[in-house]
Short mmCIF file of all heavy atoms in Angstrom, two decimals:
data_model
loop_
_atom_site.label_atom_id
_atom_site.label_comp_id
_atom_site.label_asym_id
_atom_site.label_seq_id
_atom_site.Cartn_x
_atom_site.Cartn_y
_atom_site.Cartn_z
N GLY A 1 -130.63 67.67 16.06
CA GLY A 1 -129.95 68.89 15.68
C GLY A 1 -129.21 69.52 16.85
O GLY A 1 -129.25 69.00 17.96
N MET A 2 -128.54 70.62 16.54
CA MET A 2 -127.78 71.32 17.58
C MET A 2 -128.69 72.33 18.25
O MET A 2 -129.50 72.96 17.61
CB MET A 2 -126.61 72.05 16.94
CG MET A 2 -125.34 71.27 17.04
SD MET A 2 -123.89 72.30 16.69
CE MET A 2 -124.03 72.57 14.94
N GLU A 3 -128.48 72.47 19.56
CA GLU A 3 -129.23 73.50 20.28
C GLU A 3 -128.22 74.53 20.76
O GLU A 3 -127.17 74.17 21.29
CB GLU A 3 -129.97 72.90 21.46
CG GLU A 3 -130.76 73.96 22.20
CD GLU A 3 -131.52 73.39 23.39
OE1 GLU A 3 -130.90 72.79 24.26
OE2 GLU A 3 -132.74 73.57 23.40
N HIS A 4 -128.53 75.79 20.53
CA HIS A 4 -127.64 76.85 20.97
C HIS A 4 -128.40 77.66 22.02
O HIS A 4 -129.54 78.02 21.84
CB HIS A 4 -127.30 77.76 19.78
CG HIS A 4 -126.53 78.98 20.18
ND1 HIS A 4 -125.24 78.91 20.64
CD2 HIS A 4 -126.89 80.27 20.20
CE1 HIS A 4 -124.84 80.15 20.92
NE2 HIS A 4 -125.81 80.98 20.66
N ILE A 5 -127.72 77.88 23.15
CA ILE A 5 -128.33 78.64 24.24
C ILE A 5 -127.43 79.82 24.57
O ILE A 5 -126.23 79.66 24.72
CB ILE A 5 -128.47 77.73 25.49
CG1 ILE A 5 -129.30 76.50 25.14
CG2 ILE A 5 -129.01 78.52 26.67
CD1 ILE A 5 -130.53 76.25 25.90
N ASP A 6 -128.03 80.97 24.62
CA ASP A 6 -127.32 82.18 25.01
C ASP A 6 -127.86 82.59 26.37
O ASP A 6 -129.04 82.92 26.49
CB ASP A 6 -127.65 83.30 24.01
CG ASP A 6 -126.41 83.91 23.42
OD1 ASP A 6 -125.31 83.56 23.89
OD2 ASP A 6 -126.53 84.73 22.50
N SER A 7 -127.02 82.55 27.40
CA SER A 7 -127.49 82.89 28.74
C SER A 7 -126.99 84.26 29.16
O SER A 7 -125.89 84.65 28.82
CB SER A 7 -127.00 81.87 29.75
OG SER A 7 -127.66 80.66 29.58
N TYR A 8 -127.80 84.97 29.89
CA TYR A 8 -127.44 86.26 30.43
C TYR A 8 -127.42 86.11 31.94
O TYR A 8 -128.46 86.01 32.56
CB TYR A 8 -128.42 87.36 29.96
CG TYR A 8 -128.38 87.49 28.47
CD1 TYR A 8 -129.11 86.63 27.66
CD2 TYR A 8 -127.58 88.45 27.84
CE1 TYR A 8 -129.05 86.72 26.27
CE2 TYR A 8 -127.51 88.55 26.46
CZ TYR A 8 -128.24 87.69 25.69
OH TYR A 8 -128.19 87.78 24.31
N VAL A 9 -126.21 86.06 32.49
CA VAL A 9 -126.05 85.80 33.92
C VAL A 9 -125.51 87.06 34.57
O VAL A 9 -124.58 87.69 34.07
CB VAL A 9 -125.12 84.61 34.14
CG1 VAL A 9 -124.89 84.36 35.63
CG2 VAL A 9 -125.66 83.37 33.47
N PHE A 10 -126.09 87.42 35.70
CA PHE A 10 -125.67 88.58 36.43
C PHE A 10 -125.63 88.18 37.92
O PHE A 10 -126.60 87.60 38.42
CB PHE A 10 -126.67 89.73 36.22
CG PHE A 10 -126.26 91.00 36.93
CD1 PHE A 10 -125.17 91.73 36.47
CD2 PHE A 10 -126.98 91.46 38.01
CE1 PHE A 10 -124.79 92.90 37.11
CE2 PHE A 10 -126.60 92.63 38.65
CZ PHE A 10 -125.50 93.34 38.22
N ASN A 11 -124.52 88.44 38.57
CA ASN A 11 -124.35 88.00 39.97
C ASN A 11 -124.66 86.52 40.13
O ASN A 11 -125.35 86.12 41.07
CB ASN A 11 -125.21 88.81 40.92
CG ASN A 11 -124.65 90.22 41.12
OD1 ASN A 11 -123.49 90.47 40.78
ND2 ASN A 11 -125.44 91.10 41.67
N LYS A 12 -124.18 85.69 39.19
CA LYS A 12 -124.35 84.24 39.21
C LYS A 12 -125.78 83.77 39.10
O LYS A 12 -126.07 82.62 39.33
CB LYS A 12 -123.68 83.65 40.47
CG LYS A 12 -122.20 83.95 40.53
CD LYS A 12 -121.51 83.09 41.57
CE LYS A 12 -120.03 83.35 41.54
NZ LYS A 12 -119.45 83.61 42.82
N VAL A 13 -126.68 84.69 38.76
CA VAL A 13 -128.09 84.28 38.58
C VAL A 13 -128.42 84.39 37.09
O VAL A 13 -128.15 85.41 36.48
CB VAL A 13 -129.06 85.18 39.40
CG1 VAL A 13 -130.51 84.80 39.11
CG2 VAL A 13 -128.75 85.10 40.87
N GLU A 14 -128.95 83.33 36.54
CA GLU A 14 -129.36 83.38 35.13
C GLU A 14 -130.69 84.10 35.05
O GLU A 14 -131.67 83.69 35.65
CB GLU A 14 -129.47 81.97 34.56
CG GLU A 14 -129.75 82.01 33.09
CD GLU A 14 -129.80 80.62 32.44
OE1 GLU A 14 -130.03 79.64 33.17
OE2 GLU A 14 -129.62 80.55 31.23
N HIS A 15 -130.70 85.21 34.30
CA HIS A 15 -131.92 86.01 34.20
C HIS A 15 -132.70 85.71 32.95
O HIS A 15 -133.94 85.73 32.98
CB HIS A 15 -131.56 87.51 34.22
CG HIS A 15 -131.04 87.98 35.53
ND1 HIS A 15 -131.87 88.24 36.59
CD2 HIS A 15 -129.78 88.18 35.98
CE1 HIS A 15 -131.15 88.61 37.63
NE2 HIS A 15 -129.86 88.56 37.29
N ILE A 16 -131.98 85.50 31.88
CA ILE A 16 -132.66 85.33 30.61
C ILE A 16 -131.80 84.48 29.70
O ILE A 16 -130.57 84.44 29.84
CB ILE A 16 -132.94 86.72 29.96
CG1 ILE A 16 -133.89 86.58 28.77
CG2 ILE A 16 -131.67 87.45 29.60
CD1 ILE A 16 -134.43 87.92 28.31
N ARG A 17 -132.43 83.77 28.81
CA ARG A 17 -131.69 82.88 27.91
C ARG A 17 -132.39 82.86 26.56
O ARG A 17 -133.60 82.92 26.48
CB ARG A 17 -131.68 81.52 28.59
CG ARG A 17 -131.50 80.34 27.68
CD ARG A 17 -131.79 79.04 28.40
NE ARG A 17 -130.87 78.77 29.50
CZ ARG A 17 -130.71 77.55 30.00
NH1 ARG A 17 -131.40 76.54 29.54
NH2 ARG A 17 -129.88 77.36 30.98
N PHE A 18 -131.56 82.81 25.51
CA PHE A 18 -132.13 82.65 24.18
C PHE A 18 -132.02 81.16 23.87
O PHE A 18 -130.95 80.58 23.92
CB PHE A 18 -131.35 83.44 23.12
CG PHE A 18 -131.90 83.20 21.73
CD1 PHE A 18 -133.04 83.86 21.29
CD2 PHE A 18 -131.30 82.30 20.87
CE1 PHE A 18 -133.56 83.64 20.02
CE2 PHE A 18 -131.81 82.07 19.59
CZ PHE A 18 -132.94 82.74 19.19
N ASN A 19 -133.15 80.55 23.57
CA ASN A 19 -133.16 79.13 23.28
C ASN A 19 -133.42 78.95 21.79
O ASN A 19 -134.46 79.36 21.27
CB ASN A 19 -134.25 78.45 24.10
CG ASN A 19 -134.25 76.98 23.94
OD1 ASN A 19 -134.04 76.45 22.85
ND2 ASN A 19 -134.48 76.26 25.03
N SER A 20 -132.46 78.35 21.10
CA SER A 20 -132.54 78.23 19.65
C SER A 20 -133.63 77.25 19.21
O SER A 20 -134.17 77.34 18.13
CB SER A 20 -131.20 77.75 19.08
OG SER A 20 -130.93 76.43 19.49
N THR A 21 -133.96 76.30 20.09
CA THR A 21 -134.96 75.30 19.74
C THR A 21 -136.32 75.96 19.57
O THR A 21 -137.05 75.65 18.64
CB THR A 21 -135.02 74.18 20.80
OG1 THR A 21 -133.71 73.68 20.97
CG2 THR A 21 -135.95 73.06 20.36
N VAL A 22 -136.68 76.84 20.49
CA VAL A 22 -137.95 77.54 20.39
C VAL A 22 -137.81 78.87 19.66
O VAL A 22 -138.79 79.50 19.29
CB VAL A 22 -138.61 77.74 21.78
CG1 VAL A 22 -139.08 76.42 22.34
CG2 VAL A 22 -137.69 78.42 22.76
N GLY A 23 -136.53 79.28 19.45
CA GLY A 23 -136.27 80.51 18.71
C GLY A 23 -136.74 81.77 19.42
O GLY A 23 -137.13 82.75 18.80
N ARG A 24 -136.71 81.73 20.74
CA ARG A 24 -137.10 82.91 21.49
C ARG A 24 -136.41 82.95 22.86
O ARG A 24 -135.77 82.01 23.25
CB ARG A 24 -138.61 83.03 21.64
CG ARG A 24 -139.29 81.83 22.26
CD ARG A 24 -140.78 81.84 22.05
NE ARG A 24 -141.44 82.91 22.74
CZ ARG A 24 -142.06 83.93 22.14
NH1 ARG A 24 -142.12 83.98 20.83
NH2 ARG A 24 -142.63 84.89 22.84
N TYR A 25 -136.57 84.09 23.51
CA TYR A 25 -135.96 84.29 24.81
C TYR A 25 -136.88 83.74 25.91
O TYR A 25 -138.10 83.81 25.80
CB TYR A 25 -135.72 85.77 25.10
CG TYR A 25 -134.67 86.36 24.21
CD1 TYR A 25 -135.01 86.99 23.02
CD2 TYR A 25 -133.33 86.28 24.56
CE1 TYR A 25 -134.03 87.54 22.19
CE2 TYR A 25 -132.35 86.83 23.73
CZ TYR A 25 -132.69 87.46 22.57
OH TYR A 25 -131.74 87.98 21.75
N VAL A 26 -136.25 83.21 26.94
CA VAL A 26 -136.99 82.70 28.10
C VAL A 26 -136.43 83.39 29.32
O VAL A 26 -135.21 83.42 29.53
CB VAL A 26 -136.77 81.16 28.23
CG1 VAL A 26 -137.61 80.61 29.38
CG2 VAL A 26 -137.12 80.46 26.93
N GLY A 27 -137.31 84.00 30.14
CA GLY A 27 -136.86 84.68 31.34
C GLY A 27 -136.99 83.79 32.56
O GLY A 27 -137.89 82.95 32.64
N TYR A 28 -136.08 83.96 33.51
CA TYR A 28 -136.06 83.15 34.72
C TYR A 28 -136.29 83.92 36.01
O TYR A 28 -136.52 83.37 37.06
CB TYR A 28 -134.74 82.37 34.84
CG TYR A 28 -134.62 81.33 33.76
CD1 TYR A 28 -133.87 81.57 32.60
CD2 TYR A 28 -135.28 80.11 33.87
CE1 TYR A 28 -133.79 80.63 31.60
CE2 TYR A 28 -135.18 79.15 32.88
CZ TYR A 28 -134.44 79.43 31.75
OH TYR A 28 -134.35 78.49 30.75
N THR A 29 -136.17 85.25 35.90
CA THR A 29 -136.40 86.10 37.06
C THR A 29 -137.42 87.15 36.60
O THR A 29 -137.72 87.24 35.41
CB THR A 29 -135.11 86.82 37.49
OG1 THR A 29 -134.68 87.64 36.40
CG2 THR A 29 -134.01 85.84 37.90
N GLU A 30 -137.90 87.92 37.56
CA GLU A 30 -138.88 88.97 37.19
C GLU A 30 -138.29 89.89 36.12
O GLU A 30 -138.93 90.19 35.12
CB GLU A 30 -139.23 89.77 38.45
CG GLU A 30 -140.49 90.61 38.26
CD GLU A 30 -140.79 91.44 39.49
OE1 GLU A 30 -140.28 91.11 40.59
OE2 GLU A 30 -141.54 92.44 39.33
N HIS A 31 -137.04 90.28 36.33
CA HIS A 31 -136.33 91.15 35.40
C HIS A 31 -136.16 90.45 34.05
O HIS A 31 -136.39 91.01 32.99
CB HIS A 31 -134.98 91.53 36.01
CG HIS A 31 -134.17 92.45 35.16
ND1 HIS A 31 -134.55 93.75 34.90
CD2 HIS A 31 -133.02 92.25 34.47
CE1 HIS A 31 -133.66 94.33 34.11
NE2 HIS A 31 -132.71 93.43 33.83
N GLY A 32 -135.76 89.20 34.11
CA GLY A 32 -135.55 88.38 32.90
C GLY A 32 -136.83 88.20 32.12
O GLY A 32 -136.81 88.25 30.87
N LEU A 33 -137.94 87.99 32.84
CA LEU A 33 -139.23 87.80 32.15
C LEU A 33 -139.63 89.06 31.41
O LEU A 33 -140.11 88.99 30.28
CB LEU A 33 -140.32 87.42 33.18
CG LEU A 33 -140.20 86.00 33.72
CD1 LEU A 33 -141.07 85.83 34.96
CD2 LEU A 33 -140.59 84.96 32.68
N LYS A 34 -139.39 90.22 32.04
CA LYS A 34 -139.72 91.50 31.37
C LYS A 34 -138.88 91.65 30.12
O LYS A 34 -139.38 92.04 29.07
CB LYS A 34 -139.44 92.66 32.34
CG LYS A 34 -140.51 92.85 33.38
CD LYS A 34 -140.45 94.23 33.99
CE LYS A 34 -141.44 94.40 35.15
NZ LYS A 34 -140.80 94.31 36.48
N ASN A 35 -137.57 91.37 30.22
CA ASN A 35 -136.69 91.48 29.05
C ASN A 35 -137.08 90.49 27.97
O ASN A 35 -137.12 90.85 26.81
CB ASN A 35 -135.25 91.22 29.44
CG ASN A 35 -134.56 92.46 30.00
OD1 ASN A 35 -135.15 93.54 30.02
ND2 ASN A 35 -133.37 92.31 30.50
N ALA A 36 -137.38 89.27 28.38
CA ALA A 36 -137.75 88.23 27.41
C ALA A 36 -138.96 88.69 26.62
O ALA A 36 -139.01 88.55 25.40
CB ALA A 36 -138.03 86.91 28.14
N GLU A 37 -139.94 89.23 27.33
CA GLU A 37 -141.15 89.69 26.66
C GLU A 37 -140.85 90.80 25.66
O GLU A 37 -141.32 90.78 24.52
CB GLU A 37 -142.13 90.22 27.73
CG GLU A 37 -143.56 90.14 27.32
CD GLU A 37 -144.50 90.63 28.43
OE1 GLU A 37 -144.23 90.31 29.60
OE2 GLU A 37 -145.47 91.33 28.09
N ALA A 38 -140.02 91.74 26.08
CA ALA A 38 -139.65 92.86 25.22
C ALA A 38 -138.83 92.37 24.02
O ALA A 38 -139.10 92.74 22.88
CB ALA A 38 -138.86 93.89 26.01
N TRP A 39 -137.85 91.54 24.28
CA TRP A 39 -136.97 91.06 23.22
C TRP A 39 -137.70 90.15 22.24
O TRP A 39 -137.43 90.17 21.05
CB TRP A 39 -135.74 90.36 23.78
CG TRP A 39 -134.84 91.29 24.58
CD1 TRP A 39 -135.00 92.62 24.75
CD2 TRP A 39 -133.68 90.91 25.31
NE1 TRP A 39 -134.00 93.10 25.56
CE2 TRP A 39 -133.17 92.08 25.91
CE3 TRP A 39 -133.02 89.71 25.53
CZ2 TRP A 39 -132.02 92.08 26.69
CZ3 TRP A 39 -131.87 89.70 26.31
CH2 TRP A 39 -131.39 90.87 26.89
N ASN A 40 -138.61 89.32 22.75
CA ASN A 40 -139.35 88.41 21.87
C ASN A 40 -140.27 89.17 20.95
O ASN A 40 -140.58 88.69 19.85
CB ASN A 40 -140.16 87.39 22.68
CG ASN A 40 -139.27 86.32 23.27
OD1 ASN A 40 -138.26 85.95 22.69
ND2 ASN A 40 -139.66 85.78 24.41
N SER A 41 -140.72 90.35 21.37
CA SER A 41 -141.63 91.12 20.52
C SER A 41 -140.85 92.06 19.61
O SER A 41 -141.43 92.80 18.83
CB SER A 41 -142.63 91.90 21.39
OG SER A 41 -141.94 92.82 22.19
N ASP A 42 -139.54 92.06 19.74
CA ASP A 42 -138.69 92.91 18.90
C ASP A 42 -138.02 92.05 17.81
O ASP A 42 -137.06 91.36 18.07
CB ASP A 42 -137.63 93.60 19.78
CG ASP A 42 -136.79 94.60 19.01
OD1 ASP A 42 -136.49 94.34 17.82
OD2 ASP A 42 -136.44 95.63 19.58
N ALA A 43 -138.57 92.11 16.62
CA ALA A 43 -138.07 91.30 15.51
C ALA A 43 -136.60 91.56 15.22
O ALA A 43 -135.86 90.65 14.82
CB ALA A 43 -138.91 91.56 14.27
N GLY A 44 -136.15 92.80 15.43
CA GLY A 44 -134.75 93.14 15.18
C GLY A 44 -133.80 92.37 16.08
O GLY A 44 -132.82 91.80 15.62
N ILE A 45 -134.12 92.33 17.37
CA ILE A 45 -133.29 91.59 18.33
C ILE A 45 -133.34 90.09 18.04
O ILE A 45 -132.32 89.44 18.00
CB ILE A 45 -133.71 91.90 19.78
CG1 ILE A 45 -133.45 93.36 20.11
CG2 ILE A 45 -132.97 90.99 20.75
CD1 ILE A 45 -133.89 93.81 21.49
N LEU A 46 -134.54 89.58 17.81
CA LEU A 46 -134.68 88.15 17.50
C LEU A 46 -133.90 87.81 16.24
O LEU A 46 -133.22 86.79 16.19
CB LEU A 46 -136.15 87.77 17.31
CG LEU A 46 -136.92 87.37 18.57
CD1 LEU A 46 -138.34 86.95 18.17
CD2 LEU A 46 -136.23 86.24 19.32
N GLY A 47 -134.01 88.65 15.23
CA GLY A 47 -133.32 88.42 13.97
C GLY A 47 -131.81 88.40 14.13
O GLY A 47 -131.13 87.57 13.53
N GLN A 48 -131.34 89.28 14.99
CA GLN A 48 -129.90 89.38 15.27
C GLN A 48 -129.44 88.08 15.94
O GLN A 48 -128.40 87.52 15.59
CB GLN A 48 -129.68 90.55 16.23
CG GLN A 48 -128.30 91.14 16.16
CD GLN A 48 -128.23 92.34 17.11
OE1 GLN A 48 -129.17 93.14 17.23
NE2 GLN A 48 -127.15 92.46 17.82
N GLU A 49 -130.21 87.60 16.89
CA GLU A 49 -129.87 86.37 17.62
C GLU A 49 -129.88 85.18 16.67
O GLU A 49 -128.99 84.34 16.69
CB GLU A 49 -130.84 86.18 18.77
CG GLU A 49 -130.44 85.12 19.77
CD GLU A 49 -129.30 85.51 20.71
OE1 GLU A 49 -129.44 86.51 21.44
OE2 GLU A 49 -128.29 84.81 20.72
N GLN A 50 -130.88 85.16 15.76
CA GLN A 50 -130.98 84.06 14.79
C GLN A 50 -129.79 84.08 13.83
O GLN A 50 -129.25 83.04 13.46
CB GLN A 50 -132.29 84.17 14.00
CG GLN A 50 -133.54 83.96 14.83
CD GLN A 50 -133.83 82.49 15.14
OE1 GLN A 50 -132.94 81.65 15.03
NE2 GLN A 50 -135.03 82.22 15.56
N ALA A 51 -129.39 85.29 13.41
CA ALA A 51 -128.26 85.44 12.47
C ALA A 51 -126.97 85.00 13.16
O ALA A 51 -126.14 84.32 12.56
CB ALA A 51 -128.15 86.89 12.01
N GLU A 52 -126.83 85.37 14.41
CA GLU A 52 -125.69 84.98 15.23
C GLU A 52 -125.63 83.45 15.29
O GLU A 52 -124.58 82.85 15.15
CB GLU A 52 -125.91 85.55 16.64
CG GLU A 52 -124.68 85.63 17.48
CD GLU A 52 -123.65 86.60 16.90
OE1 GLU A 52 -124.02 87.63 16.32
OE2 GLU A 52 -122.46 86.28 17.08
N LEU A 53 -126.78 82.89 15.52
CA LEU A 53 -126.91 81.44 15.65
C LEU A 53 -126.49 80.74 14.36
O LEU A 53 -125.71 79.79 14.39
CB LEU A 53 -128.39 81.16 15.94
CG LEU A 53 -128.84 79.72 16.02
CD1 LEU A 53 -128.20 79.07 17.22
CD2 LEU A 53 -130.34 79.67 16.16
N GLU A 54 -126.98 81.26 13.24
CA GLU A 54 -126.62 80.70 11.93
C GLU A 54 -125.11 80.70 11.76
O GLU A 54 -124.51 79.70 11.42
CB GLU A 54 -127.21 81.55 10.81
CG GLU A 54 -128.69 81.42 10.63
CD GLU A 54 -129.05 80.08 10.00
OE1 GLU A 54 -128.63 79.84 8.84
OE2 GLU A 54 -129.73 79.28 10.66
N ARG A 55 -124.51 81.86 12.05
CA ARG A 55 -123.06 82.02 11.91
C ARG A 55 -122.33 81.07 12.84
O ARG A 55 -121.44 80.35 12.45
CB ARG A 55 -122.65 83.47 12.26
CG ARG A 55 -121.92 84.15 11.13
CD ARG A 55 -121.33 85.50 11.43
NE ARG A 55 -121.79 86.15 12.63
CZ ARG A 55 -122.78 87.01 12.70
NH1 ARG A 55 -123.47 87.32 11.63
NH2 ARG A 55 -123.10 87.60 13.83
N PHE A 56 -122.74 81.05 14.09
CA PHE A 56 -122.10 80.23 15.11
C PHE A 56 -122.19 78.75 14.75
O PHE A 56 -121.20 78.04 14.74
CB PHE A 56 -122.80 80.49 16.47
CG PHE A 56 -122.35 79.56 17.55
CD1 PHE A 56 -121.20 79.83 18.28
CD2 PHE A 56 -123.10 78.44 17.86
CE1 PHE A 56 -120.81 78.97 19.31
CE2 PHE A 56 -122.71 77.57 18.88
CZ PHE A 56 -121.55 77.84 19.59
N CYS A 57 -123.39 78.29 14.44
CA CYS A 57 -123.61 76.87 14.17
C CYS A 57 -122.91 76.45 12.89
O CYS A 57 -122.25 75.42 12.84
CB CYS A 57 -125.08 76.55 14.07
SG CYS A 57 -125.85 76.55 15.68
N LYS A 58 -123.01 77.26 11.86
CA LYS A 58 -122.42 76.91 10.59
C LYS A 58 -120.90 76.86 10.74
O LYS A 58 -120.26 75.89 10.32
CB LYS A 58 -122.81 77.95 9.52
CG LYS A 58 -122.55 77.38 8.14
CD LYS A 58 -123.03 78.25 7.03
CE LYS A 58 -122.48 77.82 5.70
NZ LYS A 58 -121.53 76.68 5.73
N HIS A 59 -120.34 77.86 11.42
CA HIS A 59 -118.91 77.91 11.63
C HIS A 59 -118.43 76.68 12.39
O HIS A 59 -117.49 76.01 11.99
CB HIS A 59 -118.57 79.19 12.40
CG HIS A 59 -117.12 79.29 12.77
ND1 HIS A 59 -116.15 79.56 11.84
CD2 HIS A 59 -116.49 79.16 13.97
CE1 HIS A 59 -114.97 79.57 12.46
NE2 HIS A 59 -115.15 79.34 13.74
N ASN A 60 -119.11 76.36 13.50
CA ASN A 60 -118.69 75.21 14.32
C ASN A 60 -118.95 73.89 13.62
O ASN A 60 -118.17 72.96 13.77
CB ASN A 60 -119.38 75.27 15.68
CG ASN A 60 -118.76 76.33 16.55
OD1 ASN A 60 -117.58 76.60 16.48
ND2 ASN A 60 -119.57 76.97 17.35
N ALA A 61 -120.01 73.82 12.85
CA ALA A 61 -120.29 72.60 12.10
C ALA A 61 -119.19 72.38 11.06
O ALA A 61 -118.71 71.27 10.89
CB ALA A 61 -121.65 72.69 11.42
N ASP A 62 -118.74 73.46 10.43
CA ASP A 62 -117.65 73.35 9.45
C ASP A 62 -116.38 72.83 10.09
O ASP A 62 -115.71 71.96 9.56
CB ASP A 62 -117.36 74.70 8.77
CG ASP A 62 -118.50 75.11 7.84
OD1 ASP A 62 -119.35 74.26 7.52
OD2 ASP A 62 -118.53 76.27 7.44
N ILE A 63 -116.06 73.38 11.27
CA ILE A 63 -114.85 72.93 12.00
C ILE A 63 -115.00 71.46 12.37
O ILE A 63 -114.10 70.66 12.16
CB ILE A 63 -114.65 73.78 13.29
CG1 ILE A 63 -114.28 75.21 12.90
CG2 ILE A 63 -113.59 73.17 14.19
CD1 ILE A 63 -114.29 76.19 14.06
N TYR A 64 -116.16 71.12 12.89
CA TYR A 64 -116.45 69.76 13.33
C TYR A 64 -116.31 68.78 12.16
O TYR A 64 -115.64 67.78 12.28
CB TYR A 64 -117.87 69.74 13.93
CG TYR A 64 -118.36 68.38 14.35
CD1 TYR A 64 -117.85 67.76 15.49
CD2 TYR A 64 -119.33 67.72 13.62
CE1 TYR A 64 -118.30 66.51 15.89
CE2 TYR A 64 -119.80 66.47 14.00
CZ TYR A 64 -119.28 65.86 15.15
OH TYR A 64 -119.73 64.65 15.51
N TYR A 65 -116.96 69.09 11.05
CA TYR A 65 -116.92 68.18 9.91
C TYR A 65 -115.53 68.11 9.29
O TYR A 65 -115.14 67.04 8.85
CB TYR A 65 -117.97 68.58 8.87
CG TYR A 65 -119.34 68.26 9.36
CD1 TYR A 65 -120.32 69.23 9.45
CD2 TYR A 65 -119.69 66.97 9.74
CE1 TYR A 65 -121.62 68.95 9.93
CE2 TYR A 65 -120.96 66.67 10.24
CZ TYR A 65 -121.92 67.65 10.33
OH TYR A 65 -123.15 67.36 10.81
N SER A 66 -114.79 69.18 9.28
CA SER A 66 -113.44 69.10 8.70
C SER A 66 -112.55 68.28 9.62
O SER A 66 -111.67 67.56 9.15
CB SER A 66 -112.87 70.48 8.41
OG SER A 66 -112.62 71.16 9.63
N ALA A 67 -112.78 68.33 10.93
CA ALA A 67 -112.01 67.52 11.89
C ALA A 67 -112.28 66.05 11.64
O ALA A 67 -111.37 65.22 11.67
CB ALA A 67 -112.37 67.90 13.31
N ILE A 68 -113.55 65.71 11.39
CA ILE A 68 -113.92 64.32 11.09
C ILE A 68 -113.29 63.89 9.77
O ILE A 68 -112.71 62.82 9.68
CB ILE A 68 -115.46 64.16 11.00
CG1 ILE A 68 -116.09 64.38 12.37
CG2 ILE A 68 -115.83 62.79 10.45
CD1 ILE A 68 -117.61 64.43 12.37
N ARG A 69 -113.40 64.75 8.76
CA ARG A 69 -112.83 64.46 7.45
C ARG A 69 -111.33 64.17 7.54
O ARG A 69 -110.83 63.24 6.94
CB ARG A 69 -113.07 65.62 6.49
CG ARG A 69 -114.08 65.33 5.43
CD ARG A 69 -113.97 66.27 4.22
NE ARG A 69 -113.54 67.65 4.57
CZ ARG A 69 -114.33 68.61 4.96
NH1 ARG A 69 -115.63 68.39 5.10
NH2 ARG A 69 -113.88 69.81 5.22
N ASP A 70 -110.63 64.97 8.33
CA ASP A 70 -109.18 64.81 8.45
C ASP A 70 -108.79 63.49 9.09
O ASP A 70 -107.71 62.97 8.85
CB ASP A 70 -108.56 65.97 9.26
CG ASP A 70 -108.73 67.30 8.53
OD1 ASP A 70 -109.03 67.28 7.31
OD2 ASP A 70 -108.56 68.34 9.18
N LYS A 71 -109.68 62.93 9.92
CA LYS A 71 -109.37 61.68 10.60
C LYS A 71 -109.59 60.47 9.69
O LYS A 71 -109.01 59.43 9.93
CB LYS A 71 -110.25 61.55 11.83
CG LYS A 71 -109.81 62.45 12.99
CD LYS A 71 -110.49 62.04 14.28
CE LYS A 71 -110.00 62.85 15.46
NZ LYS A 71 -110.60 64.19 15.53
N THR A 72 -110.45 60.60 8.70
CA THR A 72 -110.79 59.43 7.90
C THR A 72 -109.77 59.21 6.77
O THR A 72 -109.02 60.10 6.41
CB THR A 72 -112.21 59.56 7.28
OG1 THR A 72 -112.29 60.81 6.61
CG2 THR A 72 -113.28 59.47 8.36
#
């Protein structure tokens, strides 16, 4: 399947990332870990990210498949 990653980078350091495979945020710095913990326990934020993911993946999958269809 497709994996979607949303990274939050500040001053070229990746602090936090949403990983679609595990369906939750992963923190990489002290600040990122705190946010990840807060965001993972907030169903609203997680739900928003999941909805975004659905839209993003479905949209791109549609483009991808129509591109394949047009070539055949």
